[in-house]
Amino acid sequence: MLIAGNWKMNTTLDTARTLANEVVAAVGDPGAVQVAMCPPFVSLDAVFNTLRGSSVKLGAQNMHDVDGGAYTGEIAASMLRSVGCDYVILGHSERRQYFGETDAGVNRKVQQALKHGLIPIVCVGEVLDERRAGKEQAVVKTQVEKALQDVTLANAAQLVIAYEPVWAIGTGETATPEQAQEMHAFIRSLLTAQYGAMAADIHILYGGSMKPGNAADLLSQTDVDGGLIGGASLKAPDFAAIVTAGQNAVAGA
Ligand code: PEP
């Protein structure tokens, strides 16, 4: 079980430090649940220092796909490692929608993240029209297969997939637990086709308006191995409540 917070383009240096401190205090010992937070780039170093001594891990929200050089404004995987990141979110729908990210680009970033020892959290998910047309599995299949093309893994802990139906992100709409389970099982089958038995242990997170009120139902689904949390990760008590729901789901499994 992994609960990761995506702070998106929120917080300044001071408010990031404060939020990180609040989350560490609110989460306490998360037990069997792995917890991560992904602040904006400029706050990674400060947040990492806040997380020292806790079991909460650090992630970034994006990175470039080459080692370094003349790429003004970009951030390399080695830079993320140097400020303490274990995770990096890749291919978030907002990056695809507003910044033109493609499946091929996501694939290059996944390879680059793994080369530098970062765990990619690869986001996939359909838009509303695609679901209405019954194409959600076809869309997600393409996204997963292209993102993972030629990607080899030594173990399941090297990769995380986040299923984030775009129509549920930041909208207050949530996939039903049944819709989430159906898609997660489908993604698991794609991972099994590529990675065999190892796929059983690859974390598949649900993202899309997960909140304290719906987390328990979503996280108790067989193939839902955690959550990628946007809005609710900016409120420490809400984020901690989702972590607690994750602990309960593990205990009840
Ligand atoms: C996200 O953007 O990854 C996300 C899940 O956002 P929210 O929880 O706000 O829908």
Side-chain angles (χ1 to χ4, degrees):
M1 183 71 63
L2 168 65
I3 305 294
N6 174 12
W7 294 6
K8 309 194 185 189
M9 197 171 73
N10 294 293
T11 68
T12 59
L13 187 59
D14 279 350
T15 59
R17 269 199 202 102
T18 302
L19 179 57
N21 269 310
E22 288 171 356
V23 169
V24 167
V27 162
D29 175 3
V33 178
Q34 296 165 43
V35 179
M37 57 178 73
C38 304
F41 289 130
V42 293
S43 298
L44 286 169
D45 185 38
V47 169
F48 183 62
N49 284 311
T50 303
L51 300 184
R52 272 180 211 278
S54 83
S55 55
V56 179
K57 302 291 187 192
L58 187 67
Q61 300 173 20
N62 182 30
M63 53 165 240
H64 195 40
D65 60 17
V66 301
D67 286 343
Y71 297 95
T72 302
E74 289 296 330
I75 301 286
S78 59
M79 298 175 190
L80 300 182
R81 291 298 287 159
S82 75
V83 291
C85 286
D86 286 309
Y87 295 94
V88 60
I89 298 170
L90 295 178
H92 190 281
S93 64
E94 288 152 13
R95 303 252 9 125
R96 296 177 191 254
Q97 186 179 351
Y98 305 130
F99 302 98
E101 293 214 4
T102 62
D103 289 326
V106 174
N107 177 251
R108 287 194 298 275
K109 291 183 179 189
V110 171
Q111 308 261 17
Q112 183 71 0
L114 290 169
K115 181 174 135 189
H116 288 271
L118 286 163
I119 302 169
I121 301 175
V122 181
C123 300
V124 297
E126 81 284 357
V127 301
L128 190 55
D129 282 351
E130 291 164 340
R131 178 162 280 269
R132 284 192 175 135
K135 293 183 183 154
E136 66 272 17
Q137 290 198 347
V139 168
V140 167
K141 182 176 195 285
T142 301
Q143 290 174 336
V144 169
E145 289 181 346
K146 290 196 170 173
L148 301 180
Q149 193 174 326
D150 299 324
V151 171
T152 54
L153 298 176
N155 60 66
Q158 286 183 299
L159 175 68
V160 176
I161 303 287
Y163 169 56
E164 301 207 300
V166 179
W167 46 271
I169 294 181
T171 59
E173 292 273 326
T174 316
T176 64
E178 295 73 25
Q179 287 171 325
Q181 169 56 27
E182 187 179 29
M183 185 62 86
H184 282 230
F186 177 65
I187 293 171
R188 183 93 57 206
S189 74
L190 299 174
L191 297 175
T192 302
Q194 184 160 349
Y195 299 112
M198 189 196 290
D201 296 322
I202 294 176
H203 282 129
I204 306 175
L205 313 184
Y206 170 80
S209 301
M210 193 187 280
K211 314 181 251 289
N214 59 28
D217 285 344
L218 289 160
L219 295 173
S220 60
Q221 299 301 307
T222 310
D223 288 291
V224 178
D225 307 314
L228 183 55
I229 319 300
S233 72
L234 297 171
K235 294 182 195 134
D238 286 5
F239 187 68
I242 295 171
V243 172
T244 301
Q247 289 166 337
N248 293 337
V250 173

mmCIF file of all heavy atoms in Angstrom, residues 4-8 89 92-94 123 162-174 206-211 227-234 242, ligand 1:
data_model
loop_
_atom_site.group_PDB
_atom_site.id
_atom_site.type_symbol
_atom_site.label_atom_id
_atom_site.label_comp_id
_atom_site.label_asym_id
_atom_site.label_seq_id
_atom_site.Cartn_x
_atom_site.Cartn_y
_atom_site.Cartn_z
ATOM 1 N N ALA A 4 0.507 8.525 -1.921
ATOM 2 C CA ALA A 4 1.413 9.586 -2.345
ATOM 3 C C ALA A 4 0.630 10.870 -2.577
ATOM 4 O O ALA A 4 -0.450 10.849 -3.171
ATOM 5 C CB ALA A 4 2.131 9.177 -3.637
ATOM 6 N N GLY A 5 1.172 11.976 -2.106
ATOM 7 C CA GLY A 5 0.528 13.281 -2.285
ATOM 8 C C GLY A 5 1.161 14.042 -3.434
ATOM 9 O O GLY A 5 2.388 14.145 -3.513
ATOM 10 N N ASN A 6 0.327 14.536 -4.333
ATOM 11 C CA ASN A 6 0.785 15.368 -5.449
ATOM 12 C C ASN A 6 0.349 16.798 -5.156
ATOM 13 O O ASN A 6 -0.827 17.125 -5.297
ATOM 14 C CB ASN A 6 0.153 14.855 -6.750
ATOM 15 C CG ASN A 6 0.461 15.755 -7.933
ATOM 16 O OD1 ASN A 6 1.308 16.633 -7.851
ATOM 17 N ND2 ASN A 6 -0.245 15.531 -9.032
ATOM 18 N N TRP A 7 1.306 17.593 -4.745
ATOM 19 C CA TRP A 7 0.965 18.965 -4.339
ATOM 20 C C TRP A 7 0.735 19.880 -5.539
ATOM 21 O O TRP A 7 0.303 21.022 -5.373
ATOM 22 C CB TRP A 7 2.070 19.546 -3.450
ATOM 23 C CG TRP A 7 2.222 18.879 -2.119
ATOM 24 C CD1 TRP A 7 1.578 17.751 -1.672
ATOM 25 C CD2 TRP A 7 3.081 19.288 -1.049
ATOM 26 N NE1 TRP A 7 1.995 17.440 -0.393
ATOM 27 C CE2 TRP A 7 2.910 18.355 0.014
ATOM 28 C CE3 TRP A 7 3.986 20.331 -0.869
ATOM 29 C CZ2 TRP A 7 3.607 18.450 1.225
ATOM 30 C CZ3 TRP A 7 4.676 20.431 0.323
ATOM 31 C CH2 TRP A 7 4.488 19.510 1.366
ATOM 32 N N LYS A 8 1.081 19.420 -6.713
ATOM 33 C CA LYS A 8 0.943 20.221 -7.940
ATOM 34 C C LYS A 8 1.621 21.585 -7.764
ATOM 35 O O LYS A 8 2.631 21.661 -7.073
ATOM 36 C CB LYS A 8 -0.540 20.369 -8.324
ATOM 37 C CG LYS A 8 -1.251 19.020 -8.366
ATOM 38 C CD LYS A 8 -2.585 19.083 -9.041
ATOM 39 C CE LYS A 8 -3.276 17.729 -8.937
ATOM 40 N NZ LYS A 8 -4.485 17.658 -9.744
ATOM 41 N N ILE A 89 6.677 11.475 -10.317
ATOM 42 C CA ILE A 89 5.422 11.306 -11.062
ATOM 43 C C ILE A 89 5.717 11.584 -12.538
ATOM 44 O O ILE A 89 6.340 12.595 -12.866
ATOM 45 C CB ILE A 89 4.351 12.301 -10.551
ATOM 46 C CG1 ILE A 89 4.018 12.037 -9.074
ATOM 47 C CG2 ILE A 89 3.088 12.230 -11.405
ATOM 48 C CD1 ILE A 89 3.153 13.136 -8.437
ATOM 49 N N HIS A 92 1.620 12.663 -15.856
ATOM 50 C CA HIS A 92 0.355 13.099 -15.254
ATOM 51 C C HIS A 92 -0.534 13.713 -16.340
ATOM 52 O O HIS A 92 -0.036 14.351 -17.271
ATOM 53 C CB HIS A 92 0.633 14.120 -14.150
ATOM 54 C CG HIS A 92 -0.574 14.435 -13.328
ATOM 55 N ND1 HIS A 92 -1.559 15.291 -13.759
ATOM 56 C CD2 HIS A 92 -0.965 13.984 -12.118
ATOM 57 C CE1 HIS A 92 -2.508 15.360 -12.842
ATOM 58 N NE2 HIS A 92 -2.174 14.572 -11.831
ATOM 59 N N SER A 93 -1.833 13.547 -16.219
ATOM 60 C CA SER A 93 -2.728 14.023 -17.284
ATOM 61 C C SER A 93 -2.607 15.525 -17.492
ATOM 62 O O SER A 93 -2.819 16.021 -18.611
ATOM 63 C CB SER A 93 -4.173 13.644 -16.985
ATOM 64 O OG SER A 93 -4.609 14.292 -15.822
ATOM 65 N N GLU A 94 -2.269 16.262 -16.437
ATOM 66 C CA GLU A 94 -2.092 17.714 -16.623
ATOM 67 C C GLU A 94 -0.861 18.002 -17.481
ATOM 68 O O GLU A 94 -0.840 18.966 -18.243
ATOM 69 C CB GLU A 94 -2.012 18.414 -15.246
ATOM 70 C CG GLU A 94 -3.383 18.424 -14.581
ATOM 71 C CD GLU A 94 -3.359 18.448 -13.064
ATOM 72 O OE1 GLU A 94 -2.287 18.709 -12.476
ATOM 73 O OE2 GLU A 94 -4.413 18.193 -12.461
ATOM 74 N N CYS A 123 1.413 7.817 -14.686
ATOM 75 C CA CYS A 123 -0.027 8.098 -14.649
ATOM 76 C C CYS A 123 -0.682 7.766 -15.987
ATOM 77 O O CYS A 123 -0.169 8.145 -17.045
ATOM 78 C CB CYS A 123 -0.260 9.570 -14.353
ATOM 79 S SG CYS A 123 0.419 10.092 -12.768
ATOM 80 N N ALA A 162 -0.237 4.727 -11.696
ATOM 81 C CA ALA A 162 -1.394 5.411 -11.103
ATOM 82 C C ALA A 162 -2.495 5.482 -12.154
ATOM 83 O O ALA A 162 -2.295 6.096 -13.217
ATOM 84 C CB ALA A 162 -1.015 6.809 -10.633
ATOM 85 N N TYR A 163 -3.628 4.852 -11.851
ATOM 86 C CA TYR A 163 -4.795 4.995 -12.727
ATOM 87 C C TYR A 163 -5.562 6.219 -12.272
ATOM 88 O O TYR A 163 -6.091 6.255 -11.151
ATOM 89 C CB TYR A 163 -5.699 3.753 -12.669
ATOM 90 C CG TYR A 163 -7.023 4.009 -13.361
ATOM 91 C CD1 TYR A 163 -7.058 4.434 -14.691
ATOM 92 C CD2 TYR A 163 -8.230 3.868 -12.684
ATOM 93 C CE1 TYR A 163 -8.259 4.715 -15.324
ATOM 94 C CE2 TYR A 163 -9.442 4.134 -13.313
ATOM 95 C CZ TYR A 163 -9.444 4.562 -14.630
ATOM 96 O OH TYR A 163 -10.625 4.851 -15.261
ATOM 97 N N GLU A 164 -5.603 7.228 -13.145
ATOM 98 C CA GLU A 164 -6.267 8.473 -12.805
ATOM 99 C C GLU A 164 -7.230 8.843 -13.931
ATOM 100 O O GLU A 164 -6.825 9.492 -14.909
ATOM 101 C CB GLU A 164 -5.238 9.595 -12.631
ATOM 102 C CG GLU A 164 -4.202 9.316 -11.562
ATOM 103 C CD GLU A 164 -3.650 10.592 -10.975
ATOM 104 O OE1 GLU A 164 -3.080 11.401 -11.721
ATOM 105 O OE2 GLU A 164 -3.822 10.786 -9.768
ATOM 106 N N PRO A 165 -8.485 8.428 -13.814
ATOM 107 C CA PRO A 165 -9.452 8.856 -14.828
ATOM 108 C C PRO A 165 -9.495 10.381 -14.851
ATOM 109 O O PRO A 165 -9.716 11.012 -13.815
ATOM 110 C CB PRO A 165 -10.774 8.245 -14.347
ATOM 111 C CG PRO A 165 -10.561 7.834 -12.927
ATOM 112 C CD PRO A 165 -9.106 7.671 -12.711
ATOM 113 N N VAL A 166 -9.260 10.961 -16.020
ATOM 114 C CA VAL A 166 -9.084 12.412 -16.095
ATOM 115 C C VAL A 166 -10.342 13.136 -15.621
ATOM 116 O O VAL A 166 -10.267 14.195 -15.002
ATOM 117 C CB VAL A 166 -8.688 12.817 -17.537
ATOM 118 C CG1 VAL A 166 -8.515 14.326 -17.660
ATOM 119 C CG2 VAL A 166 -7.396 12.113 -17.954
ATOM 120 N N TRP A 167 -11.486 12.522 -15.862
ATOM 121 C CA TRP A 167 -12.760 13.144 -15.471
ATOM 122 C C TRP A 167 -12.937 13.190 -13.952
ATOM 123 O O TRP A 167 -13.856 13.848 -13.448
ATOM 124 C CB TRP A 167 -13.931 12.400 -16.114
ATOM 125 C CG TRP A 167 -13.860 10.905 -16.005
ATOM 126 C CD1 TRP A 167 -13.245 10.065 -16.888
ATOM 127 C CD2 TRP A 167 -14.389 10.070 -14.971
ATOM 128 N NE1 TRP A 167 -13.364 8.763 -16.469
ATOM 129 C CE2 TRP A 167 -14.059 8.736 -15.294
ATOM 130 C CE3 TRP A 167 -15.113 10.317 -13.802
ATOM 131 C CZ2 TRP A 167 -14.421 7.647 -14.492
ATOM 132 C CZ3 TRP A 167 -15.485 9.248 -12.999
ATOM 133 C CH2 TRP A 167 -15.131 7.933 -13.358
ATOM 134 N N ALA A 168 -12.075 12.506 -13.224
ATOM 135 C CA ALA A 168 -12.198 12.486 -11.760
ATOM 136 C C ALA A 168 -11.145 13.346 -11.080
ATOM 137 O O ALA A 168 -11.192 13.535 -9.867
ATOM 138 C CB ALA A 168 -12.080 11.044 -11.252
ATOM 139 N N ILE A 169 -10.206 13.895 -11.856
ATOM 140 C CA ILE A 169 -9.107 14.642 -11.235
ATOM 141 C C ILE A 169 -9.542 16.064 -10.931
ATOM 142 O O ILE A 169 -9.908 16.823 -11.831
ATOM 143 C CB ILE A 169 -7.863 14.653 -12.155
ATOM 144 C CG1 ILE A 169 -7.308 13.239 -12.284
ATOM 145 C CG2 ILE A 169 -6.806 15.594 -11.598
ATOM 146 C CD1 ILE A 169 -6.075 13.150 -13.156
ATOM 147 N N GLY A 170 -9.536 16.395 -9.649
ATOM 148 C CA GLY A 170 -9.838 17.750 -9.220
ATOM 149 C C GLY A 170 -11.274 18.165 -9.463
ATOM 150 O O GLY A 170 -11.611 19.342 -9.368
ATOM 151 N N THR A 171 -12.147 17.221 -9.761
ATOM 152 C CA THR A 171 -13.521 17.556 -10.125
ATOM 153 C C THR A 171 -14.511 17.244 -9.005
ATOM 154 O O THR A 171 -15.669 17.637 -9.066
ATOM 155 C CB THR A 171 -13.966 16.727 -11.347
ATOM 156 O OG1 THR A 171 -13.858 15.330 -11.013
ATOM 157 C CG2 THR A 171 -13.117 17.022 -12.559
ATOM 158 N N GLY A 172 -14.048 16.488 -8.013
ATOM 159 C CA GLY A 172 -14.976 16.014 -6.989
ATOM 160 C C GLY A 172 -15.679 14.737 -7.414
ATOM 161 O O GLY A 172 -16.299 14.058 -6.603
ATOM 162 N N GLU A 173 -15.616 14.419 -8.697
ATOM 163 C CA GLU A 173 -16.151 13.137 -9.203
ATOM 164 C C GLU A 173 -15.133 12.047 -8.872
ATOM 165 O O GLU A 173 -13.937 12.269 -9.004
ATOM 166 C CB GLU A 173 -16.267 13.173 -10.720
ATOM 167 C CG GLU A 173 -17.297 14.093 -11.277
ATOM 168 C CD GLU A 173 -18.646 13.421 -11.373
ATOM 169 O OE1 GLU A 173 -18.685 12.205 -11.628
ATOM 170 O OE2 GLU A 173 -19.639 14.123 -11.167
ATOM 171 N N THR A 174 -15.602 10.887 -8.488
ATOM 172 C CA THR A 174 -14.678 9.786 -8.232
ATOM 173 C C THR A 174 -15.172 8.564 -8.983
ATOM 174 O O THR A 174 -16.383 8.363 -9.109
ATOM 175 C CB THR A 174 -14.666 9.431 -6.728
ATOM 176 O OG1 THR A 174 -14.613 10.637 -5.990
ATOM 177 C CG2 THR A 174 -13.467 8.597 -6.367
ATOM 178 N N TYR A 206 -4.874 4.388 -7.261
ATOM 179 C CA TYR A 206 -6.014 5.112 -7.829
ATOM 180 C C TYR A 206 -5.832 6.600 -7.537
ATOM 181 O O TYR A 206 -5.449 6.977 -6.418
ATOM 182 C CB TYR A 206 -7.351 4.638 -7.230
ATOM 183 C CG TYR A 206 -8.458 5.564 -7.664
ATOM 184 C CD1 TYR A 206 -9.024 5.428 -8.927
ATOM 185 C CD2 TYR A 206 -8.865 6.627 -6.861
ATOM 186 C CE1 TYR A 206 -9.975 6.324 -9.376
ATOM 187 C CE2 TYR A 206 -9.821 7.530 -7.301
ATOM 188 C CZ TYR A 206 -10.373 7.374 -8.556
ATOM 189 O OH TYR A 206 -11.304 8.270 -9.016
ATOM 190 N N GLY A 207 -6.126 7.453 -8.508
ATOM 191 C CA GLY A 207 -6.109 8.896 -8.295
ATOM 192 C C GLY A 207 -7.305 9.532 -8.956
ATOM 193 O O GLY A 207 -7.699 9.152 -10.063
ATOM 194 N N GLY A 208 -7.875 10.516 -8.283
ATOM 195 C CA GLY A 208 -9.044 11.211 -8.828
ATOM 196 C C GLY A 208 -10.012 11.504 -7.701
ATOM 197 O O GLY A 208 -10.865 10.673 -7.404
ATOM 198 N N SER A 209 -9.803 12.674 -7.051
ATOM 199 C CA SER A 209 -10.697 13.108 -5.965
ATOM 200 C C SER A 209 -10.805 12.078 -4.842
ATOM 201 O O SER A 209 -11.891 11.895 -4.278
ATOM 202 C CB SER A 209 -12.074 13.475 -6.516
ATOM 203 O OG SER A 209 -11.954 14.513 -7.480
ATOM 204 N N MET A 210 -9.698 11.395 -4.525
ATOM 205 C CA MET A 210 -9.748 10.533 -3.346
ATOM 206 C C MET A 210 -9.691 11.426 -2.104
ATOM 207 O O MET A 210 -8.916 12.364 -2.034
ATOM 208 C CB MET A 210 -8.596 9.521 -3.314
ATOM 209 C CG MET A 210 -8.838 8.432 -2.269
ATOM 210 S SD MET A 210 -7.446 7.300 -2.004
ATOM 211 C CE MET A 210 -7.613 6.187 -3.375
ATOM 212 N N LYS A 211 -10.573 11.128 -1.156
ATOM 213 C CA LYS A 211 -10.718 11.950 0.045
ATOM 214 C C LYS A 211 -10.959 11.021 1.233
ATOM 215 O O LYS A 211 -11.214 9.820 1.030
ATOM 216 C CB LYS A 211 -11.946 12.881 -0.047
ATOM 217 C CG LYS A 211 -12.125 13.627 -1.320
ATOM 218 C CD LYS A 211 -13.358 14.504 -1.232
ATOM 219 C CE LYS A 211 -14.507 14.009 -2.086
ATOM 220 N NZ LYS A 211 -14.369 14.138 -3.506
ATOM 221 N N GLY A 227 -3.119 5.207 -3.253
ATOM 222 C CA GLY A 227 -3.733 6.369 -3.880
ATOM 223 C C GLY A 227 -2.715 7.427 -4.237
ATOM 224 O O GLY A 227 -1.689 7.574 -3.555
ATOM 225 N N LEU A 228 -2.986 8.135 -5.340
ATOM 226 C CA LEU A 228 -2.254 9.358 -5.665
ATOM 227 C C LEU A 228 -3.239 10.483 -5.382
ATOM 228 O O LEU A 228 -4.302 10.552 -6.001
ATOM 229 C CB LEU A 228 -1.795 9.347 -7.124
ATOM 230 C CG LEU A 228 -0.956 10.557 -7.577
ATOM 231 C CD1 LEU A 228 0.268 10.770 -6.699
ATOM 232 C CD2 LEU A 228 -0.521 10.396 -9.037
ATOM 233 N N ILE A 229 -2.884 11.326 -4.426
ATOM 234 C CA ILE A 229 -3.838 12.265 -3.854
ATOM 235 C C ILE A 229 -3.453 13.686 -4.232
ATOM 236 O O ILE A 229 -2.345 14.126 -3.903
ATOM 237 C CB ILE A 229 -3.832 12.166 -2.295
ATOM 238 C CG1 ILE A 229 -3.732 10.707 -1.809
ATOM 239 C CG2 ILE A 229 -5.041 12.883 -1.718
ATOM 240 C CD1 ILE A 229 -4.846 9.808 -2.253
ATOM 241 N N GLY A 230 -4.344 14.413 -4.902
ATOM 242 C CA GLY A 230 -4.084 15.803 -5.254
ATOM 243 C C GLY A 230 -4.594 16.723 -4.158
ATOM 244 O O GLY A 230 -3.931 16.951 -3.151
ATOM 245 N N GLY A 231 -5.792 17.245 -4.356
ATOM 246 C CA GLY A 231 -6.348 18.254 -3.446
ATOM 247 C C GLY A 231 -6.250 17.893 -1.972
ATOM 248 O O GLY A 231 -5.840 18.716 -1.138
ATOM 249 N N ALA A 232 -6.597 16.668 -1.639
ATOM 250 C CA ALA A 232 -6.632 16.278 -0.213
ATOM 251 C C ALA A 232 -5.232 16.144 0.379
ATOM 252 O O ALA A 232 -5.094 16.063 1.606
ATOM 253 C CB ALA A 232 -7.411 14.971 -0.048
ATOM 254 N N SER A 233 -4.187 16.149 -0.457
ATOM 255 C CA SER A 233 -2.833 16.059 0.113
ATOM 256 C C SER A 233 -2.359 17.408 0.634
ATOM 257 O O SER A 233 -1.318 17.494 1.292
ATOM 258 C CB SER A 233 -1.842 15.527 -0.935
ATOM 259 O OG SER A 233 -1.575 16.491 -1.935
ATOM 260 N N LEU A 234 -3.127 18.470 0.352
ATOM 261 C CA LEU A 234 -2.734 19.803 0.820
ATOM 262 C C LEU A 234 -3.287 20.102 2.198
ATOM 263 O O LEU A 234 -3.027 21.169 2.762
ATOM 264 C CB LEU A 234 -3.228 20.863 -0.182
ATOM 265 C CG LEU A 234 -2.608 20.755 -1.581
ATOM 266 C CD1 LEU A 234 -3.307 21.696 -2.561
ATOM 267 C CD2 LEU A 234 -1.109 21.049 -1.547
ATOM 268 N N ILE A 242 -6.494 9.511 4.972
ATOM 269 C CA ILE A 242 -6.393 8.569 3.840
ATOM 270 C C ILE A 242 -5.333 7.510 4.141
ATOM 271 O O ILE A 242 -5.510 6.324 3.835
ATOM 272 C CB ILE A 242 -6.110 9.334 2.524
ATOM 273 C CG1 ILE A 242 -7.299 10.236 2.182
ATOM 274 C CG2 ILE A 242 -5.833 8.366 1.382
ATOM 275 C CD1 ILE A 242 -7.065 11.201 1.014
HETATM 276 C C1 PEP B 1 -3.968 14.154 -9.173
HETATM 277 O O1 PEP B 1 -3.898 15.175 -9.835
HETATM 278 O O2 PEP B 1 -3.035 13.319 -9.216
HETATM 279 C C2 PEP B 1 -5.158 13.941 -8.367
HETATM 280 C C3 PEP B 1 -5.507 12.749 -8.061
HETATM 281 O O3 PEP B 1 -5.844 15.082 -8.010
HETATM 282 P P1 PEP B 1 -7.179 15.158 -7.100
HETATM 283 O O4 PEP B 1 -6.987 14.222 -5.938
HETATM 284 O O5 PEP B 1 -7.251 16.583 -6.663
HETATM 285 O O6 PEP B 1 -8.303 14.736 -7.969
#
